Structure formats: C-alpha cells, structure tokens
Amino acid sequence: MSVRLVKAPIDILFSEVETDKEAYMREYEQLSESDDDPINQWLKLARAKGETSDTDPVLLNLMVELHKKIDALERFLKNEEPKRVSLTHEVAIESIGFEHFKLSEDILQKGTEYYGRVSMPVHPKRDVGIFFIALDSSLAKITKIHERDEREWGAYLTARERVLIREARESKE
C-alpha cells in the first residue's frame, strides 16, 4: 500500500485504547467542545442576532483570541491546568498524510488501536484528539478525528507541502 506523506515537525502523546477507552472517549469529546467556551458562545449568539455584521471579521477573531489568551494566562497564574488523561508514550511524528502519519520511532504494535493527543501548530494552538490503528511499527492510519480537526489537519498538511516545495525550488536555484 502506497501512502503519501509529508515531513511535519509535530509531537503526539498516545496510549493503547484498551487501557482506558471510556476516559479516552470522554477526553476526545471534551477536546472537540473546547470551542464552546463562554467567549465562543457569546460570539455565536452575537452572530446569530446579526450584531457582528458591521464588524471586521479578522479584527473580531483577533479580539476573541486575545480574550482566550488572557483567560489562559489567568488559568496559568491560578495553576488551573486543563484536566487531561495520562498517556503512556510521547514521540515525534516524522511525517503526515491526510489519513496517515509516521512516527520517528518504531514503537507501535501492528493492528493495535490507540488514542492520541496532538498539539497542532495552528492558530489558535490547541490539542487534537485522534484514534488510530497501527499499520506497522511506525505507520498509523487515523480512524477517528473530529470534522473540524480533520480540516485543520489537512490545512496543516497542505501548508507543510508548500513549504517543502518552496525549499526544494530554492535549493535548485
């Protein structure tokens, strides 16, 4: 089977699903709902009422992200870390594809299902929960990812591809 992968410098924390499937499903759902914090709920309501029609959308999004950063800083100062399940392995992802990724180390067991948490280097930076199955000792196929996260994964893949194409062109010149 041929899988097209692009080099990508991101990390993943993961564990075998059978270790604690219920806790992993709970975290997976919570990570998808991270959009529904109070500021995003307010913004959705304001948009539904048409109160944002005269506002520059880019400026509005930047203000919302600034508000989230202040909230995160406040949580940090109060030592209020978000509750995350404990995962047993932490490793670098060497390369990614639309439905696959390859780890930098051969630590997977073929046919085993895993739950992982990836810190996506996108704006806004956030954790993405994924379920995946090992195709071999380092290659994995994503079996479950939220729709929005899948779009961001694809956008990140495309951006990485562009960077690598640009670097290849520059090295030929």
Side-chain angles (χ1 to χ4, degrees), residues 118-136:
V118 178
S119 289
M120 288 298 291
V122 295
H123 180 76
K125 195 170 188 142
R126 61 190 189 80
D127 291 337
V128 171
I130 60 172
F131 285 89
F132 60 94
I133 191 161
L135 300 178
D136 65 27

Side-chain angles (χ1 to χ4, degrees), residues 1 4 6 23 36-38 64 72 74 77 80 84 94 123-124 131 136 145-146 152 163 171:
M1 175 172 78
R4 190 175 69 98
V6 174
D36 295 334
D37 59 10
V64 166
E74 184 178 22
L77 291 173
E80 297 174 348
R84 299 283 191 248
E94 179 182 289
H123 180 76
F131 285 89
D136 65 27
I145 184 169
H146 289 286
E152 287 189 3
V163 166
S171 68

